[in-house]
Structure formats: structure tokens, C-alpha cells
């Protein structure tokens, strides 16, 4: 069987996987939050960045679903497990497409009890962290800006992401 993968963070704009097709899609009952620490992509162990995870809450999260060919699922998910190794686990979820059809698929979520979970923080604190951190995959603020741009290109709403984007862009320079 081919496998659907739902992406809601970097997997939207930099999937780096082979896929048969991709479609805008939604998960119900989950919201995207910049609550996960990044020690290996957008920060370093001494200075972790902030990246997104999903939190179970009333609402929904829009993203992209990728259909992975059954012949390459093992190699694909091995590579994704490595990429998402800092606290994310694979979960099964019901993915809804824009035509309202649904399919079961996989999604990487960093659960509340993982070692790198940061949780919520005052907006100013998150802004400072995102502005000042960087890691092997690049600057933390670029992760936020890429995500916000990708969501706009999907016509997806996300007040949490867009509020952070505005606040990080408005933050005065020189406070890093
Ligand atoms: C995802 O994009 O679906 C997982 C989180 C991330 O890699 O940013």
C-alpha cells in the first residue's frame, strides 16, 4: 500500500522525499505550535531553537499530504525518522483533503513529554529565541518565515504562526 504522510512544518516547504503526489490537507483536533526545541536543525544543544509540533486541541491544522510509493516507504521513513529524531514520533492520523475525502496516514509529532519539548512562553521570549538561534539547517527565523510563506501559498490560516512572524519581523535588531 502507498502511504500518506502529513507535513505541517518544514515538511511543507522542504519535503526532501520522493512522492507520487501531494495535496493540501488538514488534520482535525490538532493545532500547530512553536513549542518544540530544536537542538539539531534550527539551534544547538546549548541554545535550542523553537520549531513546530502539533498539540491536541479543538481546531485544525492545515498542511500538505504526500503520497509515498509503497516500494520506497521503508527507505523514506527511515530517512524521515533520522531527520525528525529530536523528539518526534510517528503517529497515525486521519487526513482530510480539500474535497472532504479522508485517508489514514502518518504524521511526525513531538509529544508533550519528549526531552526537547519547550511548551508555551510569553510572545517576547519566543520572539527573542527565534530571532537569535541558528543550527545546522539554518536560522530559526528563516524556518518561521519559510513556514509562514508556505502557509500563505496554501491559503492556510494560522494565527499563531502569523502573529509570531509579524512580531519577529518587528523585533528591534541588536538584541541577539
Ligand atoms: C513536519 O514538518 O511535519 C514536522 C515538523 C518539522 O519538521 O518542522
Amino acid at each position: 500500500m502507498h502511504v500518506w504522510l502529513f507535513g505541517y512544518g518544514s515538511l511543507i516547504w522542504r519535503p526532501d522525499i520522493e512522492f507520487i503526489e501531494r495535496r493540501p490537507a488538514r488534520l482535525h483536533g490538532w493545532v500547530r505550535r512553536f513549542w518544540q526545541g530544536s537542538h539539531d536543525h534550527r539551534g544547538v544543544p546549548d541554545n535550542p531553537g523553537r520549531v513546530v509540533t502539533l498539540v491536541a486541541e479543538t481546531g485544525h491544522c492545515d498542511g500538505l499530504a504526500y503520497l509515498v510509493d509503497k516500494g520506497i516507504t521503508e527507505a523514506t521513513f527511515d530517512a524521515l525518522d533520522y531527520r525528525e529524531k529530536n523528539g518526534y514520533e510517528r503517529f497515525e492520523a486521519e487526513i482530510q483533503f480539500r474535497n472532504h475525502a479522508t485517508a489514514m496516514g502518518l504524521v511526525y509529532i513531538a509529544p508533550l513529554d519528549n526531552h526537547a519539548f519547550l511548551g508555551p512562553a510569553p510572545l517576547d521570549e519566543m520572539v527573542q529565541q527565534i530571532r537569535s538561534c541558528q543550527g545546522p539547517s539554518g536560522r530559526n527565523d528563516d524556518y518561521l518565515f519559510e513556514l509562514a510563506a508556505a502557509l500563505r501559498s496554501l491559503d492556510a490560516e494560522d494565527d499563531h504562526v502569523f502573529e509570531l512572524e509579524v512580531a519577529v519581523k518587528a523585533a528591534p535588531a541588536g538584541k541577539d
Side-chain angles (χ1 to χ4, degrees):
M1 287 251 293
H2 301 329
V3 177
W4 283 103
L5 164 71
F6 180 81
Y8 58 91
S10 65
L11 287 173
I12 299 182
W13 78 88
R14 194 175 61 82
D16 267 353
I17 56 166
E18 271 182 57
F19 51 86
I20 298 170
E21 60 162 310
R22 76 177 143 198
R23 297 189 201 169
R26 174 172 285 186
L27 288 195
H28 288 279
W30 295 93
V31 296
R32 176 174 21 230
R33 293 288 179 260
F34 268 82
W35 288 2
Q36 175 65 5
S38 177
H39 302 98
D40 57 346
H41 284 295
R42 302 294 173 152
V44 291
D46 283 352
N47 204 16
R50 259 184 193 267
V51 292
V52 289
T53 184
L54 293 182
V55 178
E57 227 178 73
T58 308
H60 60 257
C61 174
D62 286 325
L64 270 181
Y66 299 89
L67 187 60
V68 179
D69 188 283
K70 60 180 181 308
I72 58 163
T73 49
E74 199 177 326
T76 302
F77 284 97
D78 281 354
L80 288 171
D81 285 353
Y82 183 76
R83 165 174 169 169
E84 304 292 336
K85 65 187 179 311
N86 196 42
Y88 293 84
E89 290 168 40
R90 277 189 233 160
F91 291 89
E92 260 200 80
E94 187 180 73
I95 300 170
Q96 186 183 53
F97 304 107
R98 285 203 171 149
N99 65 1
H100 299 294
T102 59
M104 290 309 289
L106 297 174
V107 54
Y108 284 86
I109 297 175
L112 275 54
D113 61 356
N114 84 84
H115 68 280
F117 190 75
L118 296 172
L123 184 65
D124 281 2
E125 217 174 278
M126 291 200 282
V127 167
Q128 276 314 115
Q129 188 173 2
I130 291 169
R131 280 192 75 248
S132 60
C133 286
Q134 55 184 318
S137 298
R139 295 175 56 100
N140 202 170
D141 55 6
D142 284 338
Y143 175 101
L144 167 65
F145 301 150
E146 297 260 32
L147 176 58
L151 291 177
R152 269 192 291 277
S153 74
L154 291 174
D155 277 330
E157 291 292 328
D158 193 318
D159 292 347
H160 172 76
V161 173
F162 294 140
E163 183 188 23
L164 268 171
E165 181 195 29
V166 169
V168 169
K169 285 194 167 157
K175 283 172 75 184
D176 303 348

